[in-house]
Amino acid sequence: MLANNETGVVFDVATIARLVKKEHPGLLVHTDAAQALGKIPVDVAVLGVDYLTLVGHKFYGPRIGALYHRLTAPLVPLLFGGGQERNMRPGTENTPMIAGLGLAAQLASQGLSHHSRHMLKCRDYLESRLLETFGDKLVINCKDSPRLPNTSNFAIFLENCRSVNVLERVKFVASKGAACHSHTATKPSQNLLNSGVSYEVAMNSIRVSLGINNSMEDVDYIIEDLIRVTNELAQL
């Protein structure tokens, strides 16, 4: 994983791939870059990986994925048939979504520097407002690690402020973890626990992901809404 989808932590995949290949020259390396593309530079030559996966809806494209593989790396089909697809998959390719994915990736690359700076400015403003509002009742998870410019994962320690209670009442869209783990909503994030975050902090943690169209005014709205909800919860 190039960047964690809950904390935004960016991993040094290039160093990992280099060290792994130094010790085991024939080993193949894959990275999941779904969260990273459109937020930080993603270059397979720099990363030194053999395979890389991405998905369009993470950078304003259609909900379709793609797999990069180095030409010298083996690629074996999961499903068989489809001579018209070079025997790699049966069925017909979804041409419109593939074209949309390509264009979205091109636009994400062209606007990367500007959009990354904008998201970072909004994310830093969000965290400064959170600290200003909640003070020592706030914990920002993984804040000292290299992170994506758009992701903030934090916990508020006020009365009845478990993340599930807060998220049920806020008027903005946020989460306590990954959508693919939504069935574990009443449990703490395993990602956070594995990162050394305590059980109590993990149970109160909320993830906010900002996008290229968000503004400082949106951040102010988030803060005001959190103030409203935490005040309501404190009175229960």
Side-chain angles (χ1 to χ4, degrees), residues 98-131:
I98 292 170
L101 179 70
L103 180 58
Q106 181 181 351
L107 294 173
S109 178
Q110 290 172 350
L112 178 63
S113 179
H114 169 72
H115 291 149
S116 181
R117 286 196 305 270
H118 172 72
M119 288 186 286
L120 180 61
K121 186 177 179 180
C122 290
R123 198 276 308 279
D124 287 351
Y125 179 60
L126 169 66
E127 292 183 348
S128 69
R129 287 290 322 270
L130 286 167
L131 285 166

Side-chain angles (χ1 to χ4, degrees), residues 87-104:
N87 293 314
M88 292 308 300
R89 49 161 283 174
T92 303
E93 292 178 344
N94 189 338
T95 304
M97 292 189 78
I98 292 170
L101 179 70
L103 180 58

Side-chain angles (χ1 to χ4, degrees), residues 27-48:
L27 207 64
L28 300 169
V29 179
H30 164 266
T31 189
D32 176 352
Q35 290 293 331
L37 207 127
K39 303 175 186 77
I40 59 173
V42 177
D43 186 330
V44 291
V46 173
L47 294 172

Side-chain angles (χ1 to χ4, degrees), residues 2 11 20 22-23 33 39 50 56 63-64 75-76 78 85 88 98 102 111 116 161 180 197 219 234:
L2 183 53
F11 300 99
V20 164
K22 182 180 178 181
E23 293 296 320
K39 303 175 186 77
D50 302 288
R63 191 176 287 269
I64 184 174
L75 188 64
V76 180
L78 294 174
E85 302 294 355
M88 292 308 300
I98 292 170
S116 181
C161 282
C180 50
V197 173
V219 172

